[in-house]
């Protein structure tokens, strides 16, 4: 059974606290990486209804810093599925008091669904309902090609 992209969407919200800061008084990158990995896993679980693991992360980009008391919104959705793997795009924003969101990080995760014996297992197909989703799928196909090439040359 196919599932829609919208069924996989996950959004989490964090407030940057003193224990999240690095020596430069900015949000520590490792904390944000943990938060986005959790969102990627939740989105992949919503799509596959399986336990999942992170196989790889690519194009992880820190575009802007975040600071104490900033509100961080992290949004993930499945953009592509293979046989057992799913690509999850995760965007992170700082949301200001007016609700405006400024993109601070983007990453593409490859998550693999596991069966009860922790072996990769087939995932449902992805139903694309908008032009944006179809464009994202095409771009994801290219990223998958690059990933497979990189993996073969690791
Ligand atoms: C991810 C993992 C299951 C892949 O194992 P494998 O023996 O390569 O399995 P397969 O060849 O059947 O690959 C399974 C899927 O993962 C994809 N894949 C495997 N390695 C990948 C990589 N480095 N990047 C992107 N996709 C990858 C394959 O393309 C395949 O996708 P598909 O079924 O949609 O075509 C295995 O490497 C693993 O368990 N890694 C550890 C993951 C982990 O512990 N993560 C937690 C982070 S600390």
């Amino acid at each position: 059974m196919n599932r829609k992209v919208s069924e996989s969407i996950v959004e989490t919200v964090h407030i940057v606290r003193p224990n999240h800061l690095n020596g430069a008084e900015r949000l520590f990158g490792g904390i944000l990486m943990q938060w986005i990995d959790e969102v990627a896993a939740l989105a992949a679980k919503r799509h596959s209804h399986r336990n999942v693991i992170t196989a790889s992360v690519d194009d992880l980009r820190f575009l802007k810093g975040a600071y104490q008391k900033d509100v961080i919104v992290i949004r993930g959705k499945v953009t592509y599925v293979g046989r057992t793997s799913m690509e999850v795009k995760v965007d992170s924003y700082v949301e200001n008091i007016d609700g405006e969101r400024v993109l601070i990080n983007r990453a593409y995760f490859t998550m693999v669904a596991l069966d009860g014996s922790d072996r990769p297992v087939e995932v449902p197909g992805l139903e694309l309902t908008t032009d944006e989703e179809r464009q994202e799928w095409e771009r994801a196909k290219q990223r998958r090609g690059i990933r497979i090439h990189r993996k073969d040359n690791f």
Side-chain angles (χ1 to χ4, degrees):
M1 189 191 74
N2 290 353
R3 295 210 170 92
K4 292 183 180 147
V5 173
S6 57
E7 292 177 82
S8 70
I9 291 175
V10 172
E11 217 174 84
T12 58
V13 181
H14 301 267
I15 295 171
V16 180
R17 302 196 186 283
N19 57 317
H20 299 142
L21 301 179
N22 64 18
E25 304 283 304
R26 289 166 178 243
L27 172 61
F28 177 48
I31 297 276
L32 184 62
M33 286 196 273
Q34 179 184 334
W35 291 344
I36 63 179
D37 190 37
E38 285 165 357
V39 166
L42 283 168
K45 275 184 187 173
R46 281 195 174 161
H47 180 76
S48 63
H49 293 193
R50 297 277 190 178
N51 281 328
V52 300
I53 44 160
T54 308
S56 70
V57 188
D58 49 38
D59 280 352
L60 176 70
R61 292 191 202 174
F62 291 95
L63 304 167
K64 286 190 165 67
Y67 302 87
Q68 193 173 336
K69 296 185 186 162
D70 278 349
V71 174
I72 308 292
V73 177
I74 304 174
R75 185 179 167 83
K77 63 179 178 184
V78 172
T79 46
Y80 181 89
V81 299
R83 197 181 75 81
T84 66
S85 70
M86 296 153 276
E87 184 190 83
V88 182
K89 178 182 181 181
V90 182
D91 282 340
S92 304
Y93 305 87
V94 169
E95 184 174 292
N96 71 23
I97 199 85
D98 302 321
E100 186 203 356
R101 291 177 176 187
V102 177
L103 185 69
I104 61 161
N105 186 284
R106 170 166 290 169
Y108 294 93
F109 284 73
T110 300
M111 311 300 296
V112 176
L114 300 177
D115 66 14
S117 309
D118 275 357
R119 281 188 302 255
V121 63
E122 262 184 59
V123 296
L126 190 64
E127 190 179 326
L128 307 170
T129 57
T130 67
D131 284 347
E132 192 190 332
E133 289 170 5
R134 282 184 273 275
Q135 285 163 13
E136 196 69 79
W137 173 276
E138 288 306 318
R139 288 196 288 265
K141 238 186 342 193
Q142 292 171 9
R143 286 190 290 269
R144 178 183 164 94
I146 295 168
R147 237 172 256 137
I148 288 171
H149 178 75
R150 266 200 222 123
K151 183 181 174 231
D152 292 344
N153 293 288
F154 187 66

